[in-house]
Amino acid sequence: MPKLVNRQWLLAARPRGMVKPSDFSLRELPVTPPGDGEILVRNLYLAFEPAMRGWMEDRAGYIPPVPLGDVMRGMSVGQVVESNHPEYKAGDFVSGMLGWQEYATAGRGAMVSHLPAGATLTQPLSVLGITGITAYFGLLDLGKPQPGETVVVSGAAGATGSVAGQIAKLKGCRVVGIAGGAQKCRWLVEQAHFDAAIDYRNEDVGKRLRTLCPDGVDVFFDNVGGPTLDAVLEQIRLRARIVLCGAISGYNAEQRPPGPRNYVNLVPQRGRMEGFIVIDYLPRAAEAIKDLAAWVREGRIAYQEDIQQGFENAPRTFLRLFQSENVGKQLLKLADPPIGSAR
Ligand SMILES: NC(=O)c1ccc[n+]([C@@H]2O[C@H](COP(=O)([O-])OP(=O)(O)OC[C@H]3O[C@@H](n4cnc5c(N)ncnc54)[C@H](OP(=O)(O)O)[C@@H]3O)[C@@H](O)[C@H]2O)c1
């Protein structure tokens, strides 16, 4: 193996308030050959999730915090450079939790897998990855949308929200999205075929919901929390289901924001508000990927990927999620696969 250098982004500091580039530091070290039962992977694309902000904190969650000084945790797609593992050979494309680094070594039992058949290099990080699986099970298992019902989605133009809303449309629901800015709202109606979109930056969400959902909201798929959650809680219908997928509006707050005032509306409406973590559904991921791949192939689900360039830009690319700069799934391209590769 030629002498290769690995660049890694490490977690340098626990963030206070809005995450900053200086919360990460760059390190270079030589690449070492894989050991027995291991593979060496060259990362080609990194994926960024808002939840990573929580992994940076020293707080117990659904997965342990990233230790200070460790490579920042994250999903990627890469290509096997060298393999001492019977199930992988050099040249194979894989995805897994390989971290913010150019080369990663994965051992037996590591969370690495081959890409789904027919997938592009980036789809396993977007619509056919954690994002799509979250939208699929969050909406269908917790939201339980029925034909004719009204479904509202926040963070609707984002990677997860846009897929959740389109699945609700496929199930025969009326779907209203809430997103920031006219351009994202236009995309929701024109390309993702939502029935309507509310621009939370420039419109009164409560007022628009009263107009667009005069009979109330049956299912709310919430990615945002805060005042948006409150506005929807005010409009819920009898036996409404609120899927708590995320609450990005508070992820960078120094103190946890106050709870929603209108939660009390769950009582007369016999509503249900339930948290969701995709990890619980990974054993059933194949079910979601099969349906999502078919819907994408048939042109029934539109999705967007926002691909930034260059490993050195990883921290800045991550920040785009919290500045509403990303248009679709936030990815970072590190390298092209070698010429002659299968994809
Ligand atoms: N529970 C789970 O297992 C699970 C798994 C995956 C993702 N999630 C959650 O799903 C949500 C979306 O994640 P994603 O990866 O699909 O990201 P995304 O929606 O593609 O990107 C994040 C978007 O959030 C919006 N946003 C940022 N700051 C905001 C604020 N202060 N108030 C309101 N909106 C804000 C921005 O859209 P606008 O331009 O519309 O503001 C931004 O583009 C997140 O809450 C994430 O934690 C949960």
Side-chain angles (χ1 to χ4, degrees), residues 18 48-52 62 130-135 154-162 178-181 184-185 198-201 221-225 227-228 244-252 275-280 304 320-330:
M18 181 58 75
F48 298 85
E49 338 283 343
M52 292 167 153
Y62 57 95
I130 290 296
T131 298
I133 297 165
T134 298
S154 65
T160 309
S162 61
I178 305 174
K184 288 188 179 180
C185 287
I198 302 174
D199 175 357
Y200 76 89
R201 281 185 213 291
F221 189 99
D222 189 21
N223 289 310
V224 162
T228 302
L244 298 180
C245 177
I248 193 170
S249 69
Y251 287 179
N252 287 290
F276 170 87
I277 289 292
V278 66
I279 289 175
D280 299 342
Q304 301 186 98
R320 290 170 62 80
L321 290 170
F322 304 107
Q323 292 158 352
S324 298
E325 288 175 345
N326 65 306
V327 179
K329 182 69 201 179
Q330 186 63 72

Short mmCIF file of all heavy atoms in Angstrom, two decimals, residues 18 48-52 62 130-135 154-162 178-181 184-185 198-201 221-225 227-228 244-252 275-280 304 320-330, ligand 1:
data_model
loop_
_atom_site.label_atom_id
_atom_site.label_comp_id
_atom_site.label_asym_id
_atom_site.label_seq_id
_atom_site.Cartn_x
_atom_site.Cartn_y
_atom_site.Cartn_z
N MET A 18 -24.67 28.19 19.89
CA MET A 18 -24.51 27.76 18.50
C MET A 18 -23.15 27.08 18.27
O MET A 18 -22.12 27.59 18.68
CB MET A 18 -24.64 29.00 17.59
CG MET A 18 -24.54 28.70 16.11
SD MET A 18 -25.74 27.50 15.46
CE MET A 18 -27.24 28.47 15.41
N PHE A 48 -24.51 14.76 7.15
CA PHE A 48 -24.64 15.56 8.37
C PHE A 48 -26.08 15.52 8.87
O PHE A 48 -27.01 15.68 8.07
CB PHE A 48 -24.21 17.01 8.10
CG PHE A 48 -22.77 17.09 7.70
CD1 PHE A 48 -22.39 16.89 6.39
CD2 PHE A 48 -21.79 17.30 8.65
CE1 PHE A 48 -21.05 16.92 6.02
CE2 PHE A 48 -20.45 17.32 8.30
CZ PHE A 48 -20.08 17.13 6.97
N GLU A 49 -26.25 15.30 10.16
CA GLU A 49 -27.58 15.23 10.78
C GLU A 49 -27.61 16.26 11.92
O GLU A 49 -26.63 16.39 12.66
CB GLU A 49 -27.86 13.86 11.43
CG GLU A 49 -27.06 12.67 10.93
CD GLU A 49 -27.54 12.13 9.61
OE1 GLU A 49 -28.67 12.47 9.24
OE2 GLU A 49 -26.77 11.43 8.94
N PRO A 50 -28.76 16.94 12.10
CA PRO A 50 -28.87 17.88 13.22
C PRO A 50 -28.59 17.22 14.56
O PRO A 50 -28.07 17.85 15.48
CB PRO A 50 -30.33 18.36 13.12
CG PRO A 50 -30.69 18.19 11.68
CD PRO A 50 -29.96 16.98 11.22
N ALA A 51 -28.91 15.92 14.69
CA ALA A 51 -28.71 15.22 15.96
C ALA A 51 -27.26 15.21 16.41
O ALA A 51 -26.97 15.06 17.61
CB ALA A 51 -29.20 13.78 15.83
N MET A 52 -26.33 15.41 15.47
CA MET A 52 -24.91 15.40 15.85
C MET A 52 -24.60 16.50 16.87
O MET A 52 -23.65 16.39 17.64
CB MET A 52 -24.05 15.66 14.61
CG MET A 52 -24.08 14.53 13.62
SD MET A 52 -23.35 15.13 12.08
CE MET A 52 -22.76 13.64 11.41
N TYR A 62 -29.56 8.76 23.62
CA TYR A 62 -29.87 7.43 23.09
C TYR A 62 -28.61 6.75 22.56
O TYR A 62 -28.60 5.55 22.34
CB TYR A 62 -30.96 7.52 22.02
CG TYR A 62 -30.61 8.44 20.86
CD1 TYR A 62 -30.05 7.92 19.71
CD2 TYR A 62 -30.83 9.81 20.94
CE1 TYR A 62 -29.70 8.75 18.66
CE2 TYR A 62 -30.49 10.64 19.90
CZ TYR A 62 -29.93 10.10 18.77
OH TYR A 62 -29.59 10.94 17.73
N ILE A 130 -30.70 6.76 6.70
CA ILE A 130 -31.32 7.09 7.99
C ILE A 130 -32.48 8.07 7.82
O ILE A 130 -33.54 7.95 8.44
CB ILE A 130 -30.25 7.69 8.93
CG1 ILE A 130 -29.24 6.61 9.35
CG2 ILE A 130 -30.85 8.36 10.14
CD1 ILE A 130 -29.85 5.49 10.17
N THR A 131 -32.26 9.05 6.91
CA THR A 131 -33.27 10.09 6.68
C THR A 131 -34.59 9.50 6.19
O THR A 131 -35.65 9.77 6.74
CB THR A 131 -32.70 11.04 5.61
OG1 THR A 131 -31.52 11.63 6.13
CG2 THR A 131 -33.67 12.10 5.22
N GLY A 132 -34.50 8.70 5.14
CA GLY A 132 -35.72 8.11 4.57
C GLY A 132 -36.36 7.13 5.55
O GLY A 132 -37.59 7.08 5.68
N ILE A 133 -35.53 6.36 6.24
CA ILE A 133 -36.05 5.36 7.19
C ILE A 133 -36.78 6.07 8.34
O ILE A 133 -37.83 5.63 8.81
CB ILE A 133 -34.90 4.47 7.71
CG1 ILE A 133 -34.28 3.68 6.55
CG2 ILE A 133 -35.38 3.51 8.79
CD1 ILE A 133 -32.93 3.06 6.86
N THR A 134 -36.23 7.21 8.76
CA THR A 134 -36.88 8.01 9.82
C THR A 134 -38.24 8.50 9.36
O THR A 134 -39.25 8.37 10.08
CB THR A 134 -35.98 9.22 10.17
OG1 THR A 134 -34.74 8.73 10.66
CG2 THR A 134 -36.62 10.12 11.20
N ALA A 135 -38.29 9.06 8.17
CA ALA A 135 -39.55 9.59 7.65
C ALA A 135 -40.58 8.46 7.54
O ALA A 135 -41.75 8.61 7.91
CB ALA A 135 -39.32 10.23 6.28
N SER A 154 -43.43 19.87 9.86
CA SER A 154 -42.52 21.02 10.00
C SER A 154 -41.13 20.60 9.51
O SER A 154 -40.86 19.40 9.36
CB SER A 154 -42.47 21.50 11.45
OG SER A 154 -41.91 20.51 12.27
N GLY A 155 -40.28 21.58 9.25
CA GLY A 155 -38.99 21.25 8.60
C GLY A 155 -39.30 20.56 7.29
O GLY A 155 -38.57 19.65 6.86
N ALA A 156 -40.38 21.00 6.64
CA ALA A 156 -40.98 20.20 5.56
C ALA A 156 -40.12 20.13 4.30
O ALA A 156 -40.22 19.17 3.54
CB ALA A 156 -42.35 20.76 5.21
N ALA A 157 -39.30 21.16 4.06
CA ALA A 157 -38.49 21.12 2.84
C ALA A 157 -37.16 20.41 3.09
O ALA A 157 -36.37 20.23 2.18
CB ALA A 157 -38.24 22.53 2.34
N GLY A 158 -36.92 20.00 4.34
CA GLY A 158 -35.66 19.33 4.68
C GLY A 158 -35.67 17.88 4.24
O GLY A 158 -36.66 17.37 3.68
N ALA A 159 -34.55 17.22 4.50
CA ALA A 159 -34.37 15.85 4.02
C ALA A 159 -35.42 14.91 4.58
O ALA A 159 -36.05 14.15 3.84
CB ALA A 159 -32.97 15.39 4.41
N THR A 160 -35.66 14.97 5.87
CA THR A 160 -36.60 14.05 6.51
C THR A 160 -38.04 14.49 6.27
O THR A 160 -38.89 13.69 5.86
CB THR A 160 -36.32 13.99 8.03
OG1 THR A 160 -34.93 13.74 8.23
CG2 THR A 160 -37.13 12.90 8.70
N GLY A 161 -38.31 15.77 6.52
CA GLY A 161 -39.67 16.28 6.41
C GLY A 161 -40.25 16.12 5.01
O GLY A 161 -41.42 15.77 4.86
N SER A 162 -39.43 16.37 4.00
CA SER A 162 -39.97 16.30 2.63
C SER A 162 -40.39 14.88 2.29
O SER A 162 -41.40 14.66 1.62
CB SER A 162 -38.95 16.83 1.62
OG SER A 162 -37.79 16.05 1.65
N ILE A 178 -44.55 23.15 6.58
CA ILE A 178 -44.10 24.42 7.16
C ILE A 178 -42.58 24.49 6.93
O ILE A 178 -41.85 23.56 7.33
CB ILE A 178 -44.40 24.49 8.68
CG1 ILE A 178 -45.90 24.26 8.93
CG2 ILE A 178 -43.95 25.84 9.25
CD1 ILE A 178 -46.27 24.16 10.42
N ALA A 179 -42.13 25.53 6.24
CA ALA A 179 -40.70 25.64 5.93
C ALA A 179 -40.32 27.11 5.86
O ALA A 179 -41.18 27.99 5.83
CB ALA A 179 -40.41 24.96 4.59
N GLY A 180 -39.00 27.36 5.83
CA GLY A 180 -38.50 28.73 5.84
C GLY A 180 -38.21 29.26 4.44
O GLY A 180 -37.35 28.72 3.75
N GLY A 181 -38.94 30.29 4.04
CA GLY A 181 -38.63 30.98 2.78
C GLY A 181 -39.51 30.56 1.63
O GLY A 181 -39.98 29.42 1.55
N LYS A 184 -38.24 27.48 -0.72
CA LYS A 184 -38.48 26.13 -0.19
C LYS A 184 -39.97 25.80 -0.25
O LYS A 184 -40.36 24.67 -0.55
CB LYS A 184 -37.95 26.01 1.24
CG LYS A 184 -36.42 25.97 1.31
CD LYS A 184 -35.89 25.66 2.71
CE LYS A 184 -34.37 25.60 2.73
NZ LYS A 184 -33.80 25.31 4.05
N CYS A 185 -40.82 26.80 0.04
CA CYS A 185 -42.28 26.55 0.00
C CYS A 185 -42.74 26.26 -1.43
O CYS A 185 -43.59 25.39 -1.65
CB CYS A 185 -43.04 27.75 0.58
SG CYS A 185 -42.85 27.83 2.38
N ILE A 198 -46.54 26.65 4.29
CA ILE A 198 -46.54 27.87 5.10
C ILE A 198 -45.09 28.29 5.31
O ILE A 198 -44.26 27.48 5.75
CB ILE A 198 -47.20 27.61 6.48
CG1 ILE A 198 -48.64 27.10 6.29
CG2 ILE A 198 -47.16 28.86 7.34
CD1 ILE A 198 -49.32 26.67 7.59
N ASP A 199 -44.81 29.54 5.00
CA ASP A 199 -43.46 30.08 5.18
C ASP A 199 -43.38 30.67 6.59
O ASP A 199 -43.86 31.78 6.83
CB ASP A 199 -43.22 31.16 4.10
CG ASP A 199 -41.90 31.88 4.28
OD1 ASP A 199 -41.18 31.58 5.26
OD2 ASP A 199 -41.60 32.73 3.43
N TYR A 200 -42.78 29.92 7.51
CA TYR A 200 -42.82 30.35 8.93
C TYR A 200 -42.02 31.62 9.18
O TYR A 200 -42.22 32.29 10.18
CB TYR A 200 -42.35 29.22 9.86
CG TYR A 200 -40.85 28.97 9.89
CD1 TYR A 200 -40.01 29.66 10.78
CD2 TYR A 200 -40.27 28.05 9.04
CE1 TYR A 200 -38.65 29.42 10.81
CE2 TYR A 200 -38.90 27.82 9.05
CZ TYR A 200 -38.10 28.51 9.94
OH TYR A 200 -36.74 28.28 9.96
N ARG A 201 -41.13 31.95 8.24
CA ARG A 201 -40.35 33.19 8.43
C ARG A 201 -41.18 34.44 8.13
O ARG A 201 -40.95 35.48 8.70
CB ARG A 201 -39.17 33.22 7.47
CG ARG A 201 -38.03 32.40 7.90
CD ARG A 201 -36.86 32.61 6.92
NE ARG A 201 -36.12 31.39 6.82
CZ ARG A 201 -35.39 30.90 7.80
NH1 ARG A 201 -35.30 31.54 8.93
NH2 ARG A 201 -34.76 29.74 7.66
N PHE A 221 -46.10 15.82 12.04
CA PHE A 221 -44.75 15.24 12.03
C PHE A 221 -43.80 16.39 12.31
O PHE A 221 -43.53 17.23 11.44
CB PHE A 221 -44.47 14.60 10.67
CG PHE A 221 -43.20 13.80 10.60
CD1 PHE A 221 -43.22 12.41 10.73
CD2 PHE A 221 -41.97 14.41 10.43
CE1 PHE A 221 -42.05 11.66 10.67
CE2 PHE A 221 -40.79 13.67 10.37
CZ PHE A 221 -40.85 12.29 10.49
N ASP A 222 -43.31 16.46 13.54
CA ASP A 222 -42.57 17.66 13.97
C ASP A 222 -41.06 17.45 13.99
O ASP A 222 -40.55 16.59 14.70
CB ASP A 222 -43.05 18.10 15.36
CG ASP A 222 -42.46 19.46 15.74
OD1 ASP A 222 -42.06 20.21 14.83
OD2 ASP A 222 -42.41 19.77 16.95
N ASN A 223 -40.38 18.30 13.23
CA ASN A 223 -38.91 18.30 13.20
C ASN A 223 -38.31 19.50 13.90
O ASN A 223 -37.10 19.61 13.99
CB ASN A 223 -38.44 18.34 11.73
CG ASN A 223 -38.71 17.04 11.02
OD1 ASN A 223 -38.36 15.98 11.52
ND2 ASN A 223 -39.34 17.13 9.86
N VAL A 224 -39.16 20.42 14.35
CA VAL A 224 -38.69 21.75 14.69
C VAL A 224 -38.92 22.13 16.16
O VAL A 224 -38.08 22.75 16.78
CB VAL A 224 -39.38 22.76 13.71
CG1 VAL A 224 -39.32 24.16 14.25
CG2 VAL A 224 -38.73 22.67 12.34
N GLY A 225 -40.08 21.76 16.71
CA GLY A 225 -40.41 22.12 18.10
C GLY A 225 -40.67 23.61 18.26
O GLY A 225 -40.99 24.32 17.29
N PRO A 227 -42.09 27.35 18.95
CA PRO A 227 -43.36 28.01 18.65
C PRO A 227 -44.16 27.30 17.55
O PRO A 227 -45.39 27.37 17.53
CB PRO A 227 -42.94 29.41 18.17
CG PRO A 227 -41.53 29.59 18.58
CD PRO A 227 -40.93 28.24 18.77
N THR A 228 -43.48 26.59 16.66
CA THR A 228 -44.20 25.87 15.59
C THR A 228 -45.03 24.74 16.20
O THR A 228 -46.21 24.56 15.85
CB THR A 228 -43.19 25.31 14.55
OG1 THR A 228 -42.45 26.40 14.03
CG2 THR A 228 -43.89 24.58 13.43
N LEU A 244 -42.96 13.27 17.48
CA LEU A 244 -41.81 14.11 17.83
C LEU A 244 -40.56 13.49 17.22
O LEU A 244 -39.95 12.58 17.80
CB LEU A 244 -41.67 14.23 19.35
CG LEU A 244 -42.86 14.88 20.07
CD1 LEU A 244 -42.61 14.93 21.57
CD2 LEU A 244 -43.14 16.27 19.53
N CYS A 245 -40.23 13.95 16.02
CA CYS A 245 -39.05 13.43 15.32
C CYS A 245 -37.81 14.22 15.73
O CYS A 245 -36.72 13.68 15.87
CB CYS A 245 -39.29 13.51 13.82
SG CYS A 245 -37.87 12.97 12.87
N GLY A 246 -37.97 15.52 15.90
CA GLY A 246 -36.85 16.37 16.28
C GLY A 246 -37.35 17.74 16.70
O GLY A 246 -38.55 18.03 16.59
N ALA A 247 -36.43 18.57 17.19
CA ALA A 247 -36.81 19.91 17.67
C ALA A 247 -35.64 20.85 17.41
O ALA A 247 -35.08 21.47 18.32
CB ALA A 247 -37.16 19.86 19.15
N ILE A 248 -35.28 20.97 16.13
CA ILE A 248 -34.03 21.67 15.77
C ILE A 248 -34.01 23.11 16.26
O ILE A 248 -32.94 23.65 16.52
CB ILE A 248 -33.76 21.58 14.24
CG1 ILE A 248 -32.33 22.01 13.93
CG2 ILE A 248 -34.78 22.37 13.43
CD1 ILE A 248 -31.88 21.74 12.51
N SER A 249 -35.18 23.73 16.45
CA SER A 249 -35.19 25.14 16.87
C SER A 249 -34.50 25.34 18.22
O SER A 249 -34.05 26.43 18.54
CB SER A 249 -36.61 25.70 16.90
OG SER A 249 -37.34 25.11 17.95
N GLY A 250 -34.39 24.25 19.01
CA GLY A 250 -33.78 24.40 20.33
C GLY A 250 -32.42 23.73 20.46
O GLY A 250 -31.81 23.77 21.53
N TYR A 251 -31.88 23.12 19.40
CA TYR A 251 -30.66 22.32 19.55
C TYR A 251 -29.45 23.14 19.99
O TYR A 251 -28.53 22.63 20.62
CB TYR A 251 -30.31 21.58 18.25
CG TYR A 251 -31.21 20.41 17.90
CD1 TYR A 251 -31.01 19.67 16.74
CD2 TYR A 251 -32.28 20.03 18.72
CE1 TYR A 251 -31.83 18.60 16.41
CE2 TYR A 251 -33.10 18.97 18.39
CZ TYR A 251 -32.87 18.25 17.23
OH TYR A 251 -33.69 17.20 16.90
N ASN A 252 -29.42 24.42 19.60
CA ASN A 252 -28.26 25.25 19.95
C ASN A 252 -28.55 26.21 21.09
O ASN A 252 -27.75 27.10 21.37
CB ASN A 252 -27.79 26.02 18.71
CG ASN A 252 -27.11 25.10 17.70
OD1 ASN A 252 -26.01 24.63 17.95
ND2 ASN A 252 -27.79 24.83 16.61
N GLY A 275 -42.41 10.34 21.15
CA GLY A 275 -41.05 10.50 20.64
C GLY A 275 -40.65 9.32 19.78
O GLY A 275 -41.16 8.20 19.93
N PHE A 276 -39.70 9.59 18.88
CA PHE A 276 -39.28 8.58 17.89
C PHE A 276 -37.77 8.61 17.75
O PHE A 276 -37.18 9.69 17.64
CB PHE A 276 -39.92 8.92 16.53
CG PHE A 276 -39.39 8.10 15.39
CD1 PHE A 276 -39.96 6.87 15.09
CD2 PHE A 276 -38.32 8.54 14.63
CE1 PHE A 276 -39.47 6.10 14.05
CE2 PHE A 276 -37.81 7.77 13.59
CZ PHE A 276 -38.40 6.55 13.30
N ILE A 277 -37.12 7.46 17.76
CA ILE A 277 -35.69 7.38 17.46
C ILE A 277 -35.49 6.28 16.42
O ILE A 277 -35.89 5.13 16.64
CB ILE A 277 -34.84 7.11 18.73
CG1 ILE A 277 -34.81 8.34 19.65
CG2 ILE A 277 -33.41 6.71 18.38
CD1 ILE A 277 -34.05 9.54 19.11
N VAL A 278 -34.87 6.62 15.33
CA VAL A 278 -34.77 5.71 14.20
C VAL A 278 -34.02 4.42 14.54
O VAL A 278 -34.29 3.37 13.96
CB VAL A 278 -34.13 6.42 12.98
CG1 VAL A 278 -32.69 6.80 13.25
CG2 VAL A 278 -34.26 5.58 11.72
N ILE A 279 -33.10 4.51 15.49
CA ILE A 279 -32.30 3.32 15.85
C ILE A 279 -33.21 2.12 16.18
O ILE A 279 -32.91 0.98 15.85
CB ILE A 279 -31.40 3.65 17.07
CG1 ILE A 279 -30.29 4.59 16.63
CG2 ILE A 279 -30.81 2.41 17.70
CD1 ILE A 279 -29.42 5.09 17.77
N ASP A 280 -34.36 2.42 16.81
CA ASP A 280 -35.27 1.33 17.19
C ASP A 280 -35.78 0.58 15.96
O ASP A 280 -36.24 -0.56 16.08
CB ASP A 280 -36.49 1.89 17.95
CG ASP A 280 -36.08 2.60 19.23
OD1 ASP A 280 -34.97 2.37 19.70
OD2 ASP A 280 -36.90 3.40 19.74
N GLN A 304 -34.02 16.02 -2.50
CA GLN A 304 -32.92 16.92 -2.85
C GLN A 304 -31.69 16.60 -2.01
O GLN A 304 -31.82 16.24 -0.84
CB GLN A 304 -33.33 18.38 -2.58
CG GLN A 304 -34.56 18.80 -3.35
CD GLN A 304 -34.84 20.29 -3.18
OE1 GLN A 304 -34.49 21.10 -4.02
NE2 GLN A 304 -35.46 20.64 -2.08
N ARG A 320 -24.34 24.58 8.28
CA ARG A 320 -25.39 24.96 7.32
C ARG A 320 -26.77 24.50 7.77
O ARG A 320 -27.77 25.16 7.53
CB ARG A 320 -25.09 24.37 5.92
CG ARG A 320 -23.90 25.00 5.24
CD ARG A 320 -23.50 24.21 3.99
NE ARG A 320 -24.56 24.17 2.98
CZ ARG A 320 -24.83 25.14 2.12
NH1 ARG A 320 -24.08 26.22 2.11
NH2 ARG A 320 -25.81 25.01 1.25
N LEU A 321 -26.83 23.35 8.47
CA LEU A 321 -28.12 22.81 8.93
C LEU A 321 -28.82 23.77 9.87
O LEU A 321 -30.05 23.88 9.88
CB LEU A 321 -27.91 21.48 9.67
CG LEU A 321 -27.48 20.28 8.86
CD1 LEU A 321 -27.07 19.15 9.79
CD2 LEU A 321 -28.60 19.83 7.94
N PHE A 322 -28.03 24.46 10.69
CA PHE A 322 -28.61 25.32 11.73
C PHE A 322 -28.80 26.75 11.25
O PHE A 322 -29.35 27.58 11.95
CB PHE A 322 -27.74 25.27 12.99
CG PHE A 322 -27.54 23.87 13.48
CD1 PHE A 322 -26.32 23.22 13.33
CD2 PHE A 322 -28.60 23.16 14.02
CE1 PHE A 322 -26.15 21.91 13.73
CE2 PHE A 322 -28.44 21.85 14.43
CZ PHE A 322 -27.22 21.22 14.29
N GLN A 323 -28.29 27.01 10.05
CA GLN A 323 -28.47 28.34 9.47
C GLN A 323 -29.47 28.28 8.32
O GLN A 323 -29.56 29.20 7.52
CB GLN A 323 -27.12 28.90 9.02
CG GLN A 323 -26.24 29.19 10.25
CD GLN A 323 -24.75 29.22 9.96
OE1 GLN A 323 -24.31 28.89 8.87
NE2 GLN A 323 -23.97 29.62 10.95
N SER A 324 -30.17 27.16 8.23
CA SER A 324 -31.20 26.95 7.19
C SER A 324 -30.62 27.14 5.79
O SER A 324 -31.33 27.52 4.86
CB SER A 324 -32.39 27.89 7.40
OG SER A 324 -32.99 27.62 8.63
N GLU A 325 -29.32 26.85 5.62
CA GLU A 325 -28.71 27.04 4.30
C GLU A 325 -28.86 25.80 3.42
O GLU A 325 -28.78 25.90 2.20
CB GLU A 325 -27.22 27.36 4.46
CG GLU A 325 -26.98 28.76 5.01
CD GLU A 325 -25.51 29.04 5.29
OE1 GLU A 325 -24.70 28.09 5.35
OE2 GLU A 325 -25.19 30.21 5.50
N ASN A 326 -29.03 24.64 4.06
CA ASN A 326 -29.08 23.42 3.26
C ASN A 326 -30.40 23.32 2.51
O ASN A 326 -31.45 23.70 3.01
CB ASN A 326 -28.90 22.19 4.15
CG ASN A 326 -30.02 22.00 5.15
OD1 ASN A 326 -30.33 22.91 5.91
ND2 ASN A 326 -30.65 20.84 5.15
N VAL A 327 -30.28 22.82 1.30
CA VAL A 327 -31.48 22.57 0.48
C VAL A 327 -31.51 21.06 0.26
O VAL A 327 -30.87 20.52 -0.64
CB VAL A 327 -31.40 23.35 -0.84
CG1 VAL A 327 -32.63 23.06 -1.70
CG2 VAL A 327 -31.30 24.85 -0.56
N GLY A 328 -32.21 20.36 1.12
CA GLY A 328 -32.22 18.90 1.07
C GLY A 328 -31.12 18.32 1.94
O GLY A 328 -30.49 19.02 2.74
N LYS A 329 -30.88 17.02 1.77
CA LYS A 329 -29.94 16.31 2.64
C LYS A 329 -28.54 16.92 2.55
O LYS A 329 -27.97 17.05 1.47
CB LYS A 329 -29.88 14.83 2.24
CG LYS A 329 -28.96 14.01 3.10
CD LYS A 329 -29.50 13.87 4.49
CE LYS A 329 -28.45 13.51 5.50
NZ LYS A 329 -28.99 13.40 6.86
N GLN A 330 -27.98 17.28 3.69
CA GLN A 330 -26.66 17.92 3.70
C GLN A 330 -25.55 16.88 3.61
O GLN A 330 -25.38 16.06 4.51
CB GLN A 330 -26.49 18.75 4.98
CG GLN A 330 -25.21 19.56 4.97
CD GLN A 330 -25.19 20.59 3.85
OE1 GLN A 330 -25.89 21.57 3.91
NE2 GLN A 330 -24.39 20.35 2.81
N1 LIG B 1 -35.65 11.01 15.77
C1 LIG B 1 -34.82 10.49 14.87
O1 LIG B 1 -34.45 9.33 14.90
C2 LIG B 1 -34.32 11.40 13.79
C3 LIG B 1 -33.54 10.91 12.71
C4 LIG B 1 -33.15 11.81 11.71
C5 LIG B 1 -33.50 13.15 11.81
N2 LIG B 1 -34.23 13.57 12.89
C6 LIG B 1 -34.63 14.97 13.04
O2 LIG B 1 -35.27 15.39 11.86
C7 LIG B 1 -35.11 16.79 11.74
C8 LIG B 1 -34.63 17.11 10.34
O3 LIG B 1 -33.34 16.54 10.13
P1 LIG B 1 -32.73 16.49 8.65
O4 LIG B 1 -31.48 15.71 8.73
O5 LIG B 1 -33.78 16.07 7.72
O6 LIG B 1 -32.32 18.00 8.40
P2 LIG B 1 -32.97 19.02 7.36
O7 LIG B 1 -34.42 19.18 7.69
O8 LIG B 1 -32.60 18.63 5.98
O9 LIG B 1 -32.17 20.36 7.69
C9 LIG B 1 -32.42 21.11 8.84
C10 LIG B 1 -33.46 22.19 8.55
O10 LIG B 1 -34.02 22.63 9.78
C11 LIG B 1 -34.53 23.93 9.63
N3 LIG B 1 -34.12 24.77 10.76
C12 LIG B 1 -32.86 25.07 11.16
N4 LIG B 1 -32.89 25.86 12.24
C13 LIG B 1 -34.20 26.09 12.52
C14 LIG B 1 -34.89 26.82 13.51
N5 LIG B 1 -34.22 27.50 14.46
N6 LIG B 1 -36.24 26.83 13.49
C15 LIG B 1 -36.93 26.16 12.55
N7 LIG B 1 -36.34 25.43 11.58
C16 LIG B 1 -34.99 25.38 11.57
C17 LIG B 1 -33.96 24.50 8.33
O11 LIG B 1 -35.01 24.51 7.36
P3 LIG B 1 -35.83 25.89 7.05
O12 LIG B 1 -35.13 26.54 5.92
O13 LIG B 1 -37.20 25.41 6.75
O14 LIG B 1 -35.73 26.74 8.28
C18 LIG B 1 -32.90 23.47 7.95
O15 LIG B 1 -32.72 23.41 6.56
C19 LIG B 1 -34.17 17.24 12.85
O16 LIG B 1 -34.93 17.72 13.94
C20 LIG B 1 -33.48 15.94 13.23
O17 LIG B 1 -32.98 15.95 14.55
C21 LIG B 1 -34.63 12.73 13.86
#
